[in-house]
Amino acid sequence: MTRRPFIAGNWKMNTRRQTAIELVRQLLNGLNQDVRTEVAVCPPNPYLTVVADLVAGSPIELGAQNLYPAGDGAYTGEVHAGMLTDVGCRFVILGHSERRQYFAETDAFVAEKLQSALAGNLVPIVCVGETLEQRQADQTDEVVRAQILGSLEGLDEVRAAGIVIAYEPVWAIGTGLTATPEQAEAVHQLIRKLLGELFTPEVAAQIRIQYGGSVKADNAAQLLSQPNIDGALVGGASLKAADFLAIIAAAEATLA
Ligand code: PGA
């Protein structure tokens, strides 16, 4: 089973209207119309519509960085799945380590968001990953296992095949430290095995697992050549068109 590579840019709380427009224009200029890799950008909420208009009809898809698991109602400051699809989002990042760290998001809350995303026809990108302390204490496998079990709680086999997982070791995010391809592949293998136990090996073989954490133009090829690394969730390097395009090119090269 070949999984289509998927490169997503997580802009986090960066860009302004004008820099977002320029970045997307450069990406559109540099991207082949027939690119086989799936490509998405996830701008901050205020810029979703402006980016949606620019990427309409192009190979670039749109994602959001979070959602709140409810419908219309009195939830000041929050945004739900129906609003995100309404402005053209196809993806939503869930349970990013920054949300787990700064906003105390638990696996149970991520699982609620996952249900809400799927019910609202969004493709969730569910993030997991260990901290440096946990890796040094040799707890990576159990931490990632618990996060997968908790965050995917209530997910059925039929819907599972369509989700995306992002393995993002916390110590590699924004630090310039990248997991070696071997370190990343080992955890991706573990995740796929676990997904096979939770669902079926056939379903697990369809689920795309991205790596995230200081993915750059110069390390993407090695990471993406690993058999269980199906793409990348890119933070810093997604803010520079040339770097993001080079990462997409590295994904394309795995298809050659
Ligand atoms: P980074 O961020 O590429 O800047 O390390 C990745 C992420 O947090 O998704």
Side-chain angles (χ1 to χ4, degrees):
M1 142 117 251
T2 44
R3 293 175 293 269
R4 187 178 174 205
F6 178 29
I7 306 294
N10 174 9
W11 293 2
K12 307 191 181 184
M13 199 164 73
N14 294 297
T15 68
R16 293 292 186 276
R17 185 185 170 84
Q18 205 48 44
T19 47
I21 291 171
E22 277 158 27
L23 177 54
V24 172
R25 286 208 174 122
Q26 287 169 11
L27 292 177
L28 290 170
N29 272 336
L31 206 57
N32 257 337
Q33 194 62 28
D34 53 6
V35 61
R36 287 194 287 161
T37 297
E38 187 155 30
V39 177
V41 293
C42 305
N45 287 346
Y47 309 126
L48 285 172
T49 51
V50 66
V51 172
D53 289 346
L54 289 170
V55 300
S58 85
I60 301 179
E61 297 177 291
L62 191 64
Q65 300 174 17
N66 185 31
L67 61 67
Y68 190 76
D72 284 353
Y75 300 96
T76 303
E78 297 297 325
V79 165
H80 65 62
M83 294 169 170
L84 297 176
T85 51
D86 189 34
V87 297
C89 287
R90 173 166 158 74
F91 298 98
V92 63
I93 299 171
L94 297 180
H96 190 280
S97 64
E98 286 148 17
R99 298 214 56 87
R100 293 175 185 266
Q101 186 183 346
Y102 304 134
F103 305 98
E105 283 194 8
T106 61
D107 291 325
F109 194 37
V110 176
E112 256 189 80
K113 293 182 177 203
L114 176 67
Q115 292 303 327
S116 207
L118 291 169
N121 291 319
L122 285 165
V123 176
I125 302 173
V126 179
C127 303
V128 298
E130 81 288 359
T131 63
L132 183 59
E133 263 181 4
Q134 290 165 334
R135 175 160 285 263
Q136 286 171 341
D138 228 359
Q139 293 168 343
T140 300
D141 291 10
E142 63 187 274
V143 167
V144 169
R145 187 183 169 83
Q147 287 175 331
I148 292 280
L149 291 176
S151 303
L152 303 191
E153 174 82 48
L155 177 63
D156 62 67
E157 198 178 298
V158 176
R159 288 183 142 169
I163 74 165
V164 177
I165 307 273
Y167 167 57
E168 301 203 301
V170 177
W171 49 272
I173 295 178
T175 57
L177 293 173
T178 319
T180 64
E182 294 72 28
Q183 281 174 326
E185 171 64 15
V187 180
H188 283 233
Q189 258 176 38
L190 170 98
I191 293 172
R192 197 165 320 274
K193 183 162 171 285
L194 185 54
L195 294 170
E197 290 161 14
L198 272 177
F199 308 109
T200 64
E202 292 70 31
V203 167
Q206 291 177 62
I207 298 177
R208 289 180 296 180
I209 310 175
Q210 296 177 315
Y211 168 79
S214 299
V215 175
K216 308 283 177 211
D218 61 5
N219 60 25
Q222 266 196 313
L223 287 159
L224 294 169
S225 66
Q226 298 298 311
N228 285 288
I229 301 184
D230 309 314
L233 183 55
V234 185
S238 73
L239 295 169
K240 287 199 190 122
D243 292 356
F244 195 56
L245 288 166
I247 294 168
I248 296 165
E252 286 292 281
T254 65
L255 295 168

